[in-house]
Amino acid sequence: MSFDLVLRSRRVVTPAGERAAAICVRDGRIAAIHDYHAVDGQDLGAMALLPGLVDTHVHVNEPGRTEWEGFSSATQAALAGGVTTIVDMPLNSLPPTVSVEALRVKRRAAAGQCHVDVGFWGGAVPDNLADLADLHAAGVFGFKAFLIDSGVPEFPPLDPADLRKALAAVDTTFLIHAEEPAEITSAPSSARYADFLASRPATAEQRAVADVLDAARATGARVHILHLSAAETLPLIAQARRDGVRVTAETCPHYLTLTAEEIPDGATQFKCCPPIRGRHNRDALWAGLVSGAIDCVVSDHSPCTPQLKRPDVGDFAAAWGGIASLQLGLPVMWTEARRRGHDLAELVRWMAQRPAEIVGLTGSGRIEVGADAHLVAFDPDASFTVEPAQLRHRHPVTPYAGRTLTGVVRGTWLSGHPVTPEGPPRGRLLTRTDV
């Protein structure tokens, strides 16, 4: 049989683990998987072949705040980092994706710019609860809601009553930023990270997650806890699953690799919400990831202009809370995962397979017959030092500057086509009905 592409590697990472294999592609999909020596093709040797990563938590910000980030720059960064599918958050673009028309505006802005496949989340806010079903029918993959101030006025939070109304409105995945406002205090104007951290304690996440789980129990809804940073929430999630609640949870590379103890005064590039916590908490999050209490690892890529990080004063209270890491998530995670004794198959499950399953992208995130031929050649032993100027995010602001990381993306294929950030955009705009 003829194929459009054959890639051979001694380290093909499949859902069953690593194996030597030849991956055969036809019409953009994996048509066959043969033994390594069975067919001729491009030989990657000992370089690992991974499925393209799936990042379901990306703030692209276009249109409206394109000076923060945009579809071209964000998807080039994704491609450079081995991410072949992203799902865009409904904020901080203007308008936010809270109506069918706003979704059309966002899709028009993205058209022709995307270097990877892009899907879209909708937003659930107090004024659009009656419109969620129509927005879902228009193709969003689910809805994001805040229980606390989102940081932008056009995307207000839901109170407990509105949360339950939203969960009952449509049977889909609801992504929840779970922090309890009553547990959070105003951070003082300060360059000390400890002052900011104290303003957003772990109890804020505990209480909010408990409330979300109670609402899911009452409505039967499917909920997903976003950017989980407090390990104290893990027993609540585990018990809810035992009770039959449909709940999944994510965390992010920065919570699994960075610690509060190492953040210097004034280093606002480390600010995010919820905050990076202490070393023992980081270790407990790793235990939760390994046990399956945490399902997946995604970036929460939330960039802004450098000025909004307030490097002039180093004030954590005044700085925008968000970490831009879309391009670096794979090597950041691999560096720490390998140090802790984990393998590439686990990394792929956390960063490709499980995110794809949660969002319903059944053709992505795995190397198997019938899947999209989104593939990444990854050198797991090469190392590099993070130079911000070499990042493809719109702004070179990162807490990983100067760090030595292990793992380098050497090649990427999108639907079987070799692609580079410098090349023409080949990404598709995805809707829920496409998959």
Side-chain angles (χ1 to χ4, degrees), residues 258-270:
L258 306 176
T259 66
E261 293 88 346
E262 69 184 291
I263 298 177
D265 289 349
T268 54
Q269 66 269 26
F270 288 84

Side-chain angles (χ1 to χ4, degrees), residues 82-391:
V83 177
T84 54
T85 304
I86 67 170
V87 188
D88 172 62
M89 283 292 167
L91 73 165
N92 302 302
S93 57
L94 292 170
T97 315
V98 295
S99 68
V100 173
E101 178 55 31
L103 176 63
R104 293 192 185 110
V105 169
K106 182 164 281 193
R107 289 178 63 87
R108 285 197 296 269
Q113 293 202 74
C114 298
H115 292 259
V116 302
D117 287 356
V118 177
F120 303 93
W121 296 111
V125 296
D127 290 340
N128 81 332
L129 301 185
D131 303 321
L132 295 183
D134 288 342
L135 186 50
H136 191 242
V140 298
F141 285 89
F143 296 96
K144 179 176 184 176
F146 278 76
L147 304 187
I148 193 171
D149 179 23
S150 71
V152 291
E154 67 274 3
F155 203 95
L158 300 180
D159 64 25
D162 280 343
L163 174 63
R164 294 198 178 203
K165 290 178 185 177
L167 296 183
V170 59
D171 185 14
T172 190
T173 301
F174 282 86
L175 318 173
I176 310 297
H177 181 126
E179 290 182 281
E180 167 55 51
E183 293 288 332
I184 290 177
T185 60
S186 295
S189 180
S190 173
R192 295 181 67 247
Y193 182 74
D195 293 335
F196 167 66
L197 178 59
S199 74
R200 299 184 92 104
T203 53
E205 282 190 81
Q206 279 183 287
R207 282 192 56 185
V209 168
D211 290 344
V212 170
L213 296 174
D214 285 345
R217 284 189 182 92
T219 60
R222 185 165 66 251
V223 294
H224 179 75
I225 306 300
L226 293 170
H227 44 51
L228 192 149
S229 80
E232 291 89 341
T233 62
L234 296 176
L236 301 176
I237 294 169
Q239 182 59 55
R241 286 179 178 155
R242 289 192 291 269
D243 294 342
V245 176
R246 297 190 293 170
V247 56
T248 51
E250 69 182 41
T251 193
C252 306
H254 40 278
Y255 299 128
L256 292 167
T257 60
L258 306 176
T259 66
E261 293 88 346
E262 69 184 291
I263 298 177
D265 289 349
T268 54
Q269 66 269 26
F270 288 84
K271 181 182 176 180
C272 56
C273 299
I276 295 163
R277 305 190 188 276
R279 185 176 299 110
H280 295 303
N281 181 83
R282 179 191 62 180
D283 293 342
L285 289 178
W286 270 101
L289 181 64
V290 172
S291 73
I294 298 172
D295 295 86
C296 63
V297 180
V298 292
S299 69
D300 189 10
H301 178 72
S302 185
C304 65
T305 61
Q307 294 81 4
L308 288 176
K309 278 294 189 182
R310 296 308 305 268
D312 53 334
V313 292
D315 184 351
F316 280 98
W320 175 260
I323 288 177
S325 61
L326 186 53
Q327 184 173 335
L328 296 174
L330 176 56
V332 165
M333 278 296 297
W334 175 235
T335 301
E336 185 69 10
R338 187 163 81 161
R339 185 180 74 82
R340 292 173 178 264
H342 301 292
D343 60 24
L344 285 173
E346 292 173 285
L347 194 70
V348 163
R349 185 169 68 251
W350 298 329
M351 301 188 76
Q353 182 177 335
R354 285 297 288 140
E357 290 171 347
I358 289 168
V359 80
L361 290 167
T362 54
S364 295
R366 61 181 70 207
I367 294 178
E368 65 180 14
V369 173
D372 291 331
H374 294 358
L375 301 165
V376 173
F378 183 66
D379 187 339
D381 300 316
S383 62
F384 68 101
T385 299
V386 177
E387 298 286 350
Q390 296 178 4
L391 298 177

Side-chain angles (χ1 to χ4, degrees), residues 386-411:
V386 177
E387 298 286 350
Q390 296 178 4
L391 298 177
R392 294 181 179 273
H393 312 147
R394 187 175 295 282
H395 301 291
V397 178
T398 173
Y400 302 107
R403 287 179 178 252
T404 298
L405 302 178
T406 302
V408 175
V409 172
R410 299 296 191 190

